[in-house]
Amino acid sequence: MARADKTLERILRGASDANISFGGMRRLLLNLGFQERIRGSHHIYSKDGIEEILNLQADGDKAKAYQVKQVRHVIVKYRLGGELDAGA
C-alpha cells in the first residue's frame, strides 16, 4: 500500500492539489474502505459512518483541485489517515 500512502501524504500536505492523479486518489479512497459507484464520468464514494458523499470527476488524468480539498477535509475530519493526519 506504499503508493496509497504516498498519495495520502501528498493530499494531506496540501501543497499540490492540482497535481494529484485521479487514479491515485481513487485507489486511496478504495483502500480507506469507501464504496464506489460510477455514473457516467462521476465517481461517487460513500462509507458507513461518513456523512459526506464524495462526487469526483477526473480532469484529464488529474483530480480536480477543489475535489482534492474535499477529500482532504473528510480524511482529516474522520481521522482516516491514521498517523499521517495527526499533523494536518
Side-chain angles (χ1 to χ4, degrees), residues 11 52 68-78:
I11 289 172
E52 291 87 352
V68 173
K69 291 175 188 173
Q70 290 173 347
V71 169
R72 179 172 45 250
H73 173 75
V74 168
I75 290 171
V76 171
K77 179 178 178 180
Y78 294 97

Side-chain angles (χ1 to χ4, degrees), residues 3-86:
R3 196 184 247 180
D5 286 342
K6 186 174 181 180
T7 301
L8 175 62
E9 183 179 336
R10 290 181 66 211
I11 289 172
L12 290 175
R13 197 174 331 123
S16 59
D17 288 348
N19 200 24
I20 302 292
S21 81
F22 184 76
M25 192 160 68
R26 181 178 174 268
R27 278 190 299 277
L28 172 65
L29 290 171
L30 293 173
N31 284 338
L32 291 174
F34 282 83
Q35 305 287 323
E36 178 185 50
R37 281 190 344 238
I38 301 173
R39 297 278 188 254
S41 64
H42 294 262
H43 293 249
I44 303 160
Y45 297 90
S46 60
K47 181 176 177 172
D48 289 340
I50 307 289
E51 67 182 53
E52 291 87 352
I53 295 173
L54 299 168
N55 185 352
L56 308 178
Q57 285 181 287
D59 186 11
D61 64 341
K62 303 292 182 191
K64 294 181 179 183
Y66 78 93
Q67 292 174 344
V68 173
K69 291 175 188 173
Q70 290 173 347
V71 169
R72 179 172 45 250
H73 173 75
V74 168
I75 290 171
V76 171
K77 179 178 178 180
Y78 294 97
R79 303 188 61 77
L80 301 175
E83 298 173 7
L84 291 176
D85 71 354

